[in-house]
Amino acid sequence: MNPTETDIPLFKRLRFVLVETSRAGNVGSVARAMKTMGFSDLVLVAPRCDDLLHDAEAVAFASGAIDVLQGARIVPTIGEALEGCNFAAAVSARLREFSPPVWSPRELSNHVAGDASLYPALILGNERVGLPNAIVESSNVLINIPANPDYSSLNLSQAAQVLAYECRLAAQGENRTQEGVGFHGEAASLAQIEGMYAHLEDALVAIGFLNADNPKKLMPRLKRLFARTQLETEEVNILRGIARQMMRGRE
């Protein structure tokens, strides 16, 4: 990593990703929530609104954050939305059987502000159905905002505001000295980790440990296991080397 990259503040590293958003007004409100807290990187995955960045409702709800709204990028897939990111945090009120580790917004904000090598993405889903399980299972952590258990559903922009606020607080103190953290290698990118999972799955099939026709829940469980480790690039390379050797042994 270039030494100057360690000086990049969280305000420039954190990306907000909205998946299949239905209401243009919610996108405008998220843009406003981001700008009030100093963030600007917004990516929209397959939004369900036409001409979203110029929609009258989106513009009205964005208020003074038109620059964030109209600077947003629209992409067709989550993979494209996460390009350049090496840490993904899925946001959901609904816990999943095979979710990655569950963190609070404060745990997330302290983690990403305290490690300048991380280029994190906060992923928020559709207003009605939330995030698909596949996106949650492939994320590093699942963010659950503590709320009234009898009514825990937050509006999309409300959730974004809570997260942006916590990240701003952490970013303002991100130059604090961390004690006892030891050496950290470069965090693996999400693309590197997904490639490792695919390679490992092929190897497990090759040695007969995984039945491709009846995989059950093995890969989601392995993804959850590895998500707890916060994989580094060198560790991903080691795991791919192991998978490669496993496959050679079956040739």
Side-chain angles (χ1 to χ4, degrees), residues 1-8 116:
M1 177 175 293
N2 189 312
T4 60
E5 292 181 356
T6 61
D7 298 328
I8 299 175

Side-chain angles (χ1 to χ4, degrees), residues 50 80 92 102:
D50 295 327
E80 291 173 82
S92 177
V102 180

Side-chain angles (χ1 to χ4, degrees), residues 72-113:
R73 293 181 291 118
I74 299 177
V75 298
T77 67
I78 187 66
E80 291 173 82
L82 296 178
E83 287 181 0
C85 294
N86 56 12
F87 189 88
V91 182
S92 177
R94 181 166 61 90
L95 302 180
R96 318 296 171 94
E97 182 182 3
F98 295 104
S99 81
V102 180
W103 286 7
S104 70
R106 190 153 301 174
E107 287 174 305
L108 168 82
S109 62
N110 286 335
H111 181 73
V112 298

Side-chain angles (χ1 to χ4, degrees), residues 32-97:
R32 182 174 182 176
M34 291 171 58
K35 185 167 184 177
T36 59
M37 295 298 139
F39 300 99
S40 59
D41 190 358
L42 176 61
V43 179
L44 312 174
V45 179
R48 299 179 180 180
C49 317
D50 295 327
D51 195 23
L52 177 58
L53 303 186
H54 301 92
D55 183 275
E57 183 180 81
V59 170
F61 279 69
S63 188
I66 301 300
D67 55 333
V68 176
L69 173 65
Q70 297 188 345
R73 293 181 291 118
I74 299 177
V75 298
T77 67
I78 187 66
E80 291 173 82
L82 296 178
E83 287 181 0
C85 294
N86 56 12
F87 189 88
V91 182
S92 177
R94 181 166 61 90
L95 302 180
R96 318 296 171 94
E97 182 182 3

Side-chain angles (χ1 to χ4, degrees), residues 1 49 57 68 109 111 117 176 179 192 196 230 234:
M1 177 175 293
C49 317
E57 183 180 81
V68 176
S109 62
H111 181 73
S117 72
R176 65 193 181 283
E179 298 179 357
Q192 288 173 327
M196 182 272 289
Q230 307 302 312
E234 185 59 29

Side-chain angles (χ1 to χ4, degrees), residues 24 31 47 52 58-59 76 96 111 122 132 135-138 157 162 173 179 205:
L52 177 58
V59 170
R96 318 296 171 94
H111 181 73
L122 290 172
I135 291 179
V136 174
E137 291 171 2
S138 297
S157 62
V162 169
E179 298 179 357
V205 171

